[in-house]
Amino acid sequence: MTDPARPFQSPDVEAAFDAFPEPARGTLLALRALIFEVAAETPGVGAIEETLKWGQPAYLTPETKSGTTIRLGMPKTGGAALYTHCQTTVMSDFRALFPGEFTFDGNRAVLFDTSADIEKLRMLIRHALTYHRPLP
């Protein structure tokens, strides 16, 4: 169930996605595609590196170092999660913009049902991918 236009950068990452049960796998693959899409349309982000961190698919900006790491996974409660570094303000900034609209795990993750509209996470992804870039 991979996007043929965007092959995995590593067989280990592909295996991590294959290990997710449905319907979480489909949601997480859609989030993966959204990360690459947002990166491509956001000036200054550069190439995205796809790797594993803590056994989860992770997305970094090694070329420009513009962003903080984004990880994808499944919380113990089920559904899907998008994680960022807990010592950044990425989650708290997003929570302030959308109070009550998502479930958060502290400052490290946004948790959501697999039927959620992930398009709403576009802003969160953009913020994470540009977190270290100076403001204009």
Side-chain angles (χ1 to χ4, degrees):
M1 185 170 176
T2 64
D3 176 359
R6 175 78 55 199
F8 288 101
Q9 294 177 9
S10 148
D12 293 335
V13 174
E14 184 172 13
F17 274 100
D18 287 344
F20 290 123
E22 285 297 348
R25 180 184 309 125
T27 300
L28 294 169
L29 284 168
L31 270 174
R32 174 186 184 262
L34 188 60
I35 290 168
F36 282 106
E37 182 180 315
V38 170
E41 69 188 26
T42 306
V45 170
I48 296 294
E49 178 184 343
E50 181 177 50
T51 188
L52 290 181
K53 289 202 178 268
W54 299 284
Q56 296 174 315
Y59 301 86
L60 300 86
T61 58
E63 183 180 290
T64 63
K65 300 191 184 320
S66 66
T68 188
T69 302
I70 297 171
R71 289 182 296 118
L72 303 179
M74 273 186 61
K76 292 176 184 171
T77 56
L82 186 148
Y83 300 89
T84 60
H85 194 288
C86 64
Q87 292 180 344
T88 67
T89 62
V90 172
M91 286 299 161
S92 60
D93 292 346
F94 190 68
R95 183 184 303 118
L97 292 172
F98 299 99
E101 198 162 333
F102 293 96
T103 301
F104 293 89
D105 181 1
N107 280 334
R108 68 185 210 112
V110 60
L111 314 175
F112 46 93
D113 186 87
T114 55
S115 63
D117 178 8
I118 65 165
E119 187 62 32
K120 292 181 178 181
L121 298 174
R122 181 178 289 275
M123 184 181 296
L124 172 66
I125 293 167
R126 183 173 291 109
H127 184 37
L129 293 175
T130 60
Y131 184 75
H132 294 294
R133 196 168 72 189
L135 294 173

